Amino acid sequence: MFDDDGKFGRQYPMRPLPFILLALSAMLVLGQPVAPAAAFDESPVGFSDIFQWRIGILGYGIYRDVETQSILNEGNRLQISRYQTGLDIRPDVELEKGRLELSIKPRARLTYEKWDDGGALDGESESDEEIYINEWLARLMVTEALFVSYGREKLLWGPSYLLSPSNPFAKSNGRNNPKLEVAGMDSGRLVWIPHSSWAASLIANTGEGRREFFKEFAAVYALKLDYTGYQKYFSLIPSYREKTADRPDEWRAPPAPCRCRSPR
């Protein structure tokens, strides 16, 4: 091992497992160019160069003219509130040092509702606050072509507006309602980029994270192969879902997103 000054320090014995992982990584990136010397520049780096943060604040208010004389909601039996307001605070924090990237996205949500149109809740009001972590991620660049990550993230892709049929992890991509943030799910990734036009991702969805399921959660594993060329791209995404009490195990290869355009 070498210390920060480049001097030889204490040696540690090589254990079998790290050696095997190192060998597998070397096999995956065989033939890839070695990182240039500039990538290992030891020039001083300020804290602001490795640490970034931003914050988004979303506020909204709703007034409803509740119809209480209709057959469906006579006397406001559906308990629809007249006033509703909310405030979402969404900070993003990122730390990048060398080959390691760390990020976390905590969230705070404040809501208030008031009922004023009859029914069981007439004249009542309710406020609520919630603090949670929607996403976090730790990613390591093993080589310039191989990345390993684990955390809670949004597993989204494709140009679909309402639904994404090629995504085995999440059908909704959140584009139809920007006020609602897509819930992050616990997952690990191994991404290999052998060429500027090709990428392969092995994805394991290991936990439900912040997402709510109507059925029992089942782990999903997928292999995502992507090709990106001039005015065209193509993806192939075979996946496997583990068996649970309310559903059998499932292999599937949904339609892959594809977009091809001829140059004019």
Side-chain angles (χ1 to χ4, degrees):
M1 301 291 294
F2 291 85
D3 57 20
D4 294 335
D5 296 328
K7 298 179 180 179
F8 189 78
R10 180 182 175 184
Q11 286 186 312
Y12 293 89
M14 179 68 77
R15 292 181 171 83
L17 182 56
F19 179 77
I20 293 174
L21 294 176
L22 182 61
L24 290 174
S25 300
M27 292 172 61
L28 286 173
V29 297
L30 185 63
Q32 297 300 314
V34 178
F40 305 97
D41 186 10
E42 297 182 357
S43 58
V45 177
F47 184 71
S48 60
D49 296 325
I50 63 175
F51 177 80
Q52 296 182 5
W53 68 276
R54 56 185 173 272
I55 184 170
I57 299 178
L58 174 65
Y60 63 91
I62 300 174
Y63 170 81
R64 300 184 182 94
D65 186 7
V66 182
E67 176 58 63
T68 60
Q69 304 299 322
S70 67
I71 298 177
L72 296 178
N73 191 37
E74 184 177 358
N76 197 18
R77 60 185 177 186
L78 297 180
Q79 300 179 8
I80 301 175
S81 61
R82 175 179 289 191
Y83 308 100
Q84 182 179 357
T85 184
L87 179 67
D88 282 12
I89 303 175
R90 303 174 180 177
D92 298 347
V93 181
E94 300 175 0
L95 180 66
E96 182 178 350
K97 177 63 174 176
R99 297 176 178 269
L100 181 64
E101 296 181 30
L102 303 174
S103 65
I104 187 170
K105 298 182 179 181
R107 298 293 186 254
R109 176 177 298 163
L110 311 174
T111 58
Y112 173 82
E113 283 187 273
K114 190 175 189 306
W115 291 262
D116 202 15
D117 293 282
L121 297 178
D122 186 33
E124 299 289 331
S125 63
E126 180 180 277
S127 61
D128 189 24
E129 58 278 336
E130 184 181 13
I131 299 177
Y132 59 93
I133 296 177
N134 192 52
E135 295 182 75
W136 66 269
L137 187 67
R139 177 164 49 208
L140 177 66
M141 183 178 71
V142 181
T143 71
E144 289 188 337
L146 184 65
F147 300 83
V148 181
S149 65
Y150 187 82
R152 177 176 296 176
E153 59 178 330
K154 304 171 188 175
L155 298 173
L156 305 176
W157 57 71
S160 177
Y161 180 74
L162 294 177
L163 298 176
S164 182
S166 66
N167 192 335
F169 305 104
K171 300 303 180 186
S172 174
N173 55 21
R175 295 184 182 182
N176 59 329
N177 189 347
K179 294 196 300 294
L180 300 179
E181 189 174 29
V182 176
M185 295 187 293
D186 300 337
S187 62
R189 292 199 197 200
L190 178 65
V191 180
W192 181 39
I193 309 175
H195 189 270
S196 59
S197 298
W198 291 94
S201 304
L202 184 62
I203 309 172
N205 177 206
T206 58
E208 59 186 359
R210 287 284 305 172
R211 187 179 173 192
E212 296 181 356
F213 291 83
F214 293 105
K215 296 182 178 180
E216 180 183 357
F217 169 78
V220 180
Y221 308 92
L223 175 63
K224 188 171 182 286
L225 304 174
D226 298 297
Y227 170 79
T228 304
Y230 177 65
Q231 293 190 340
K232 58 182 177 293
Y233 64 83
F234 174 80
S235 295
L236 177 65
I237 316 169
S239 63
Y240 170 75
R241 184 185 302 273
E242 287 186 350
K243 181 180 180 180
T244 60
D246 57 358
R247 74 173 105 190
D249 57 345
E250 178 185 40
W251 283 94
R252 63 193 298 261
C258 176
R259 181 178 180 181
C260 301
R261 298 176 60 187
S262 300
R264 295 182 178 180

